[in-house]
Amino acid sequence: LNLSLILFSWKLQLRVTIRYPSFVMLSCSEAVFLLCVFVALPYRIGTCNAFGVSSTTSTSTPVRVFDNVFSSDACRLINQLSIEHSDRAGNCDGSSIFYREEGNVLTPLESAIDSALTALGDTSDVVEYWSRENYMNIDAHADIDEGGLLDDGERIRCPIQGHILYLVVGKEVRGPTFIFPDKLVGWGCDDTSHLGRASSSINDQREVEMVTVPAVEGRVVRFDGRAIHAVPKPADRWLLSKNDERLLREKDNDAFGANNDGGGDFWEEEEGNCEASNGRDETEDYSSDRRSVLLFNTWMYGPAFVDEDPAIHMPLGIELSGCDGVGDAVDLVSKWEKEFGKSSERVQCNPKHQWKDVSIINADTNDPSSDTGREKVRVSLMGNKRRRCHPNTSAKLSLHHCANRLRSATREAVVPTSFTLKEDL
């Protein structure tokens, strides 16, 4: 539509001028062009009228999985840096942003992220990042600009690309990430027709793709920043009975705070309190249940109310919190240079040619005749109705075959798998 307007105005060659302010002279075609550019700015927003939540009509990007992105030593050091960053970050979820500008000073943690994005050929200007130290249940959600929503109240902005770097994974932990590449922004806000999928069938069911990615040390998974994703704990949680899910939910609420299904804050990320956001439970030893991850999103424009790391931008002479034995920012930078190198060499990603591009196995085409079992899948959704864009706190899906393969995928240690499920409309 924008292009049509531009071409139409050029074809007519209208000479009516718009004066704003008085010293600026624009032809009508130029005015229309600027207006269309403004409308098309990559805020990644659209409309989902049923719930008043923004969606999108552009195609999603595929899920990519890379192994050996960071060495074991680098993962250990990055994990240490992530914990320290969470302790000193200004907001309750432990997130910060940094700008990828030439000459901009980066922390070692930010330098590690930047090295991976550079290897991926990602030229995004702004990066948001945070971490979680432990394996915890995270309901299905899309990452959004929560602060912008609070300030704006109307539209939802999502990042361009989402990334998960798995740093430390306990020997008995699988903790796969579940990603829904076609479910964008909110569960009910997906526009699947433009992806070549039929919106419904004779049985009034819609196909839904689901990708399971096991947690592997040094692995990076990259996906559309609008895509809904989750970390169910236990991994087969969505296959359990309603009663079992209720008992697990009560246990989660006792540990991390009550779930606000109906009237909770729209922008609340983890449906709990701030102490739960990094997955840390100070009351018990969780070393055997370790699933430490660094998450980073790329943005064209950064999320509102998320600041840069105070370690770099704190005024000199002010002691930094969460940095034991360190005084101000100058002392911390000096400490970093000694530990990680002047250019943070010890936490840089491996050269791109050493990465392994991991194939995602398609369960539907991998000898489905040998696995004809069916399975009901109940996907727990995060947030209130407006955020999840769905009338219920869970979405009901069904797997018409490959049920055994799905149960195996929840216990799989390495191989990512893609499934096609059916959603009742």
Short mmCIF file of all heavy atoms in Angstrom, two decimals, residues 367-403:
data_model
loop_
_atom_site.label_atom_id
_atom_site.label_comp_id
_atom_site.label_asym_id
_atom_site.label_seq_id
_atom_site.Cartn_x
_atom_site.Cartn_y
_atom_site.Cartn_z
N ASP A 367 10.25 -41.33 9.01
CA ASP A 367 9.59 -42.63 9.16
C ASP A 367 8.38 -42.55 10.09
O ASP A 367 8.33 -43.22 11.12
CB ASP A 367 10.58 -43.67 9.68
CG ASP A 367 10.04 -45.08 9.53
OD1 ASP A 367 9.07 -45.26 8.76
OD2 ASP A 367 10.56 -45.99 10.19
N PRO A 368 7.38 -41.69 9.77
CA PRO A 368 6.22 -41.56 10.65
C PRO A 368 5.40 -42.82 10.76
O PRO A 368 4.63 -42.99 11.70
CB PRO A 368 5.42 -40.42 10.00
CG PRO A 368 5.80 -40.47 8.56
CD PRO A 368 7.25 -40.89 8.55
N SER A 369 5.52 -43.75 9.80
CA SER A 369 4.72 -44.96 9.83
C SER A 369 5.01 -45.82 11.05
O SER A 369 4.18 -46.61 11.48
CB SER A 369 4.95 -45.77 8.55
OG SER A 369 6.32 -46.14 8.44
N SER A 370 6.23 -45.66 11.60
CA SER A 370 6.60 -46.47 12.76
C SER A 370 6.13 -45.87 14.07
O SER A 370 6.31 -46.47 15.12
CB SER A 370 8.12 -46.64 12.80
OG SER A 370 8.75 -45.39 12.97
N ASP A 371 5.56 -44.68 14.02
CA ASP A 371 5.10 -44.00 15.24
C ASP A 371 3.75 -43.38 14.96
O ASP A 371 3.64 -42.23 14.54
CB ASP A 371 6.12 -42.94 15.66
CG ASP A 371 5.76 -42.28 16.99
OD1 ASP A 371 4.74 -42.67 17.58
OD2 ASP A 371 6.51 -41.39 17.43
N THR A 372 2.70 -44.14 15.17
CA THR A 372 1.35 -43.68 14.84
C THR A 372 0.58 -43.21 16.07
O THR A 372 -0.60 -42.90 15.98
CB THR A 372 0.56 -44.81 14.17
OG1 THR A 372 0.52 -45.94 15.05
CG2 THR A 372 1.22 -45.21 12.85
N GLY A 373 1.25 -43.14 17.21
CA GLY A 373 0.57 -42.74 18.44
C GLY A 373 0.13 -41.29 18.40
O GLY A 373 0.71 -40.45 17.71
N ARG A 374 -0.93 -40.98 19.15
CA ARG A 374 -1.45 -39.61 19.24
C ARG A 374 -1.20 -39.06 20.64
O ARG A 374 -1.07 -39.81 21.60
CB ARG A 374 -2.94 -39.59 18.92
CG ARG A 374 -3.25 -40.05 17.50
CD ARG A 374 -4.67 -39.73 17.12
NE ARG A 374 -4.93 -40.02 15.72
CZ ARG A 374 -5.90 -39.47 15.02
NH1 ARG A 374 -6.71 -38.60 15.59
NH2 ARG A 374 -6.07 -39.78 13.74
N GLU A 375 -1.15 -37.73 20.72
CA GLU A 375 -0.86 -37.09 21.99
C GLU A 375 -1.55 -35.74 22.07
O GLU A 375 -1.62 -35.01 21.08
CB GLU A 375 0.65 -36.90 22.14
CG GLU A 375 1.08 -36.46 23.52
CD GLU A 375 0.97 -37.56 24.55
OE1 GLU A 375 1.79 -38.48 24.55
OE2 GLU A 375 0.02 -37.49 25.37
N LYS A 376 -2.10 -35.43 23.26
CA LYS A 376 -2.65 -34.12 23.52
C LYS A 376 -1.56 -33.26 24.16
O LYS A 376 -0.86 -33.71 25.07
CB LYS A 376 -3.86 -34.21 24.45
CG LYS A 376 -5.06 -34.93 23.84
CD LYS A 376 -5.68 -34.12 22.72
CE LYS A 376 -6.96 -34.78 22.19
NZ LYS A 376 -7.57 -34.01 21.08
N VAL A 377 -1.45 -32.03 23.68
CA VAL A 377 -0.43 -31.11 24.19
C VAL A 377 -1.13 -29.85 24.69
O VAL A 377 -1.85 -29.20 23.94
CB VAL A 377 0.59 -30.75 23.09
CG1 VAL A 377 1.66 -29.80 23.64
CG2 VAL A 377 1.23 -32.00 22.51
N ARG A 378 -0.91 -29.53 25.96
CA ARG A 378 -1.52 -28.34 26.57
C ARG A 378 -0.43 -27.32 26.84
O ARG A 378 0.36 -27.46 27.77
CB ARG A 378 -2.25 -28.71 27.85
CG ARG A 378 -3.06 -27.56 28.45
CD ARG A 378 -3.71 -27.93 29.78
NE ARG A 378 -4.65 -29.03 29.63
CZ ARG A 378 -4.40 -30.27 30.04
NH1 ARG A 378 -3.24 -30.56 30.58
NH2 ARG A 378 -5.30 -31.22 29.88
N VAL A 379 -0.35 -26.28 26.01
CA VAL A 379 0.70 -25.27 26.10
C VAL A 379 0.28 -24.17 27.07
O VAL A 379 -0.68 -23.44 26.81
CB VAL A 379 1.01 -24.67 24.71
CG1 VAL A 379 2.10 -23.61 24.82
CG2 VAL A 379 1.40 -25.77 23.73
N SER A 380 0.99 -24.04 28.17
CA SER A 380 0.70 -22.98 29.14
C SER A 380 1.19 -21.64 28.62
O SER A 380 2.34 -21.52 28.17
CB SER A 380 1.36 -23.30 30.48
OG SER A 380 0.86 -24.50 31.02
N LEU A 381 0.33 -20.62 28.67
CA LEU A 381 0.63 -19.31 28.11
C LEU A 381 0.88 -18.29 29.22
O LEU A 381 0.20 -18.29 30.25
CB LEU A 381 -0.52 -18.83 27.22
CG LEU A 381 -0.94 -19.78 26.10
CD1 LEU A 381 -2.16 -19.22 25.36
CD2 LEU A 381 0.21 -20.02 25.12
N MET A 382 1.82 -17.41 28.99
CA MET A 382 2.18 -16.39 29.97
C MET A 382 1.34 -15.13 29.81
O MET A 382 0.99 -14.73 28.70
CB MET A 382 3.66 -16.01 29.81
CG MET A 382 4.13 -14.92 30.75
SD MET A 382 5.84 -14.44 30.43
CE MET A 382 6.71 -15.91 30.96
N GLY A 383 1.02 -14.50 30.93
CA GLY A 383 0.41 -13.17 30.90
C GLY A 383 -1.10 -13.19 30.91
O GLY A 383 -1.75 -14.23 30.93
N ASN A 384 -1.67 -11.98 30.90
CA ASN A 384 -3.13 -11.87 30.89
C ASN A 384 -3.65 -12.03 29.46
O ASN A 384 -2.89 -12.28 28.52
CB ASN A 384 -3.57 -10.54 31.51
CG ASN A 384 -3.04 -9.33 30.75
OD1 ASN A 384 -2.63 -9.43 29.60
ND2 ASN A 384 -3.05 -8.19 31.39
N LYS A 385 -4.95 -11.89 29.29
CA LYS A 385 -5.56 -12.14 27.98
C LYS A 385 -4.95 -11.27 26.89
O LYS A 385 -4.77 -11.72 25.76
CB LYS A 385 -7.07 -11.90 28.05
CG LYS A 385 -7.84 -12.97 28.80
CD LYS A 385 -9.33 -12.70 28.74
CE LYS A 385 -10.11 -13.78 29.48
NZ LYS A 385 -11.57 -13.53 29.41
N ARG A 386 -4.66 -10.04 27.24
CA ARG A 386 -4.18 -9.14 26.20
C ARG A 386 -2.78 -9.52 25.74
O ARG A 386 -2.47 -9.46 24.55
CB ARG A 386 -4.19 -7.70 26.71
CG ARG A 386 -3.93 -6.69 25.61
CD ARG A 386 -4.11 -5.28 26.09
NE ARG A 386 -3.58 -4.38 25.09
CZ ARG A 386 -2.92 -3.27 25.36
NH1 ARG A 386 -2.72 -2.93 26.62
NH2 ARG A 386 -2.47 -2.50 24.42
N ARG A 387 -1.94 -9.91 26.67
CA ARG A 387 -0.58 -10.27 26.25
C ARG A 387 -0.58 -11.59 25.49
O ARG A 387 0.07 -11.72 24.45
CB ARG A 387 0.35 -10.38 27.45
CG ARG A 387 1.72 -10.95 27.03
CD ARG A 387 2.81 -10.73 28.02
NE ARG A 387 4.09 -11.13 27.47
CZ ARG A 387 5.26 -10.93 28.04
NH1 ARG A 387 5.31 -10.33 29.21
NH2 ARG A 387 6.38 -11.32 27.47
N ARG A 388 -1.28 -12.59 26.00
CA ARG A 388 -1.23 -13.89 25.33
C ARG A 388 -2.12 -13.94 24.10
O ARG A 388 -2.03 -14.86 23.29
CB ARG A 388 -1.59 -15.00 26.31
CG ARG A 388 -2.99 -14.95 26.87
CD ARG A 388 -3.24 -16.07 27.88
NE ARG A 388 -4.61 -16.06 28.38
CZ ARG A 388 -4.97 -15.68 29.59
NH1 ARG A 388 -4.04 -15.27 30.45
NH2 ARG A 388 -6.24 -15.70 29.96
N CYS A 389 -3.04 -12.96 23.95
CA CYS A 389 -3.93 -12.89 22.80
C CYS A 389 -4.71 -14.20 22.65
O CYS A 389 -4.87 -14.73 21.56
CB CYS A 389 -3.14 -12.59 21.53
SG CYS A 389 -4.14 -12.00 20.15
N HIS A 390 -5.19 -14.68 23.76
CA HIS A 390 -5.90 -15.95 23.79
C HIS A 390 -6.83 -15.93 25.00
O HIS A 390 -6.44 -15.44 26.07
CB HIS A 390 -4.90 -17.11 23.89
CG HIS A 390 -5.49 -18.45 23.62
ND1 HIS A 390 -6.12 -19.20 24.59
CD2 HIS A 390 -5.54 -19.20 22.48
CE1 HIS A 390 -6.53 -20.34 24.07
NE2 HIS A 390 -6.19 -20.36 22.79
N PRO A 391 -8.06 -16.44 24.87
CA PRO A 391 -9.01 -16.33 25.98
C PRO A 391 -8.65 -17.19 27.19
O PRO A 391 -9.12 -16.92 28.30
CB PRO A 391 -10.33 -16.79 25.36
CG PRO A 391 -9.92 -17.66 24.21
CD PRO A 391 -8.67 -17.04 23.68
N ASN A 392 -7.82 -18.22 27.00
CA ASN A 392 -7.51 -19.15 28.08
C ASN A 392 -6.03 -19.07 28.46
O ASN A 392 -5.20 -18.54 27.71
CB ASN A 392 -7.86 -20.58 27.66
CG ASN A 392 -9.32 -20.71 27.27
OD1 ASN A 392 -10.21 -20.23 27.96
ND2 ASN A 392 -9.57 -21.37 26.14
N THR A 393 -5.71 -19.65 29.62
CA THR A 393 -4.33 -19.65 30.08
C THR A 393 -3.50 -20.76 29.43
O THR A 393 -2.31 -20.86 29.68
CB THR A 393 -4.27 -19.82 31.60
OG1 THR A 393 -4.94 -21.03 31.97
CG2 THR A 393 -4.93 -18.64 32.29
N SER A 394 -4.13 -21.56 28.61
CA SER A 394 -3.40 -22.60 27.87
C SER A 394 -4.04 -22.80 26.51
O SER A 394 -5.23 -22.52 26.32
CB SER A 394 -3.39 -23.92 28.65
OG SER A 394 -4.69 -24.43 28.82
N ALA A 395 -3.23 -23.27 25.56
CA ALA A 395 -3.71 -23.58 24.22
C ALA A 395 -3.65 -25.08 24.03
O ALA A 395 -2.67 -25.73 24.40
CB ALA A 395 -2.84 -22.88 23.18
N LYS A 396 -4.70 -25.64 23.47
CA LYS A 396 -4.80 -27.08 23.31
C LYS A 396 -4.41 -27.49 21.89
O LYS A 396 -5.01 -27.03 20.91
CB LYS A 396 -6.22 -27.55 23.63
CG LYS A 396 -6.62 -27.30 25.08
CD LYS A 396 -8.04 -27.77 25.35
CE LYS A 396 -8.44 -27.50 26.80
NZ LYS A 396 -9.84 -27.92 27.09
N LEU A 397 -3.42 -28.35 21.80
CA LEU A 397 -2.95 -28.87 20.54
C LEU A 397 -3.03 -30.39 20.56
O LEU A 397 -3.15 -31.01 21.63
CB LEU A 397 -1.49 -28.46 20.28
CG LEU A 397 -1.16 -26.97 20.34
CD1 LEU A 397 0.33 -26.76 20.17
CD2 LEU A 397 -1.93 -26.20 19.29
N SER A 398 -2.96 -30.98 19.40
CA SER A 398 -2.95 -32.44 19.32
C SER A 398 -1.93 -32.87 18.28
O SER A 398 -1.75 -32.22 17.24
CB SER A 398 -4.33 -32.98 18.96
OG SER A 398 -4.80 -32.45 17.73
N LEU A 399 -1.24 -33.95 18.60
CA LEU A 399 -0.27 -34.54 17.69
C LEU A 399 -0.86 -35.84 17.18
O LEU A 399 -1.12 -36.76 17.95
CB LEU A 399 1.04 -34.81 18.44
CG LEU A 399 2.24 -35.24 17.61
CD1 LEU A 399 2.65 -34.13 16.64
CD2 LEU A 399 3.42 -35.59 18.51
N HIS A 400 -1.11 -35.92 15.88
CA HIS A 400 -1.85 -37.05 15.31
C HIS A 400 -0.96 -38.26 15.04
O HIS A 400 -1.46 -39.34 14.74
CB HIS A 400 -2.57 -36.61 14.04
CG HIS A 400 -3.74 -35.72 14.33
ND1 HIS A 400 -4.71 -35.42 13.40
CD2 HIS A 400 -4.10 -35.05 15.46
CE1 HIS A 400 -5.62 -34.61 13.93
NE2 HIS A 400 -5.25 -34.37 15.18
N HIS A 401 0.35 -38.07 15.09
CA HIS A 401 1.30 -39.19 15.05
C HIS A 401 2.60 -38.70 15.64
O HIS A 401 2.71 -37.56 16.08
CB HIS A 401 1.49 -39.70 13.61
CG HIS A 401 1.93 -38.66 12.64
ND1 HIS A 401 3.24 -38.26 12.52
CD2 HIS A 401 1.23 -37.93 11.74
CE1 HIS A 401 3.33 -37.33 11.59
NE2 HIS A 401 2.13 -37.10 11.10
N CYS A 402 3.58 -39.55 15.73
CA CYS A 402 4.89 -39.20 16.30
C CYS A 402 4.83 -38.89 17.79
O CYS A 402 5.68 -38.16 18.31
CB CYS A 402 5.52 -38.00 15.57
SG CYS A 402 5.72 -38.23 13.81
N ALA A 403 3.83 -39.41 18.50
CA ALA A 403 3.71 -39.15 19.93
C ALA A 403 4.93 -39.67 20.69
O ALA A 403 5.45 -38.99 21.60
CB ALA A 403 2.43 -39.77 20.47
#
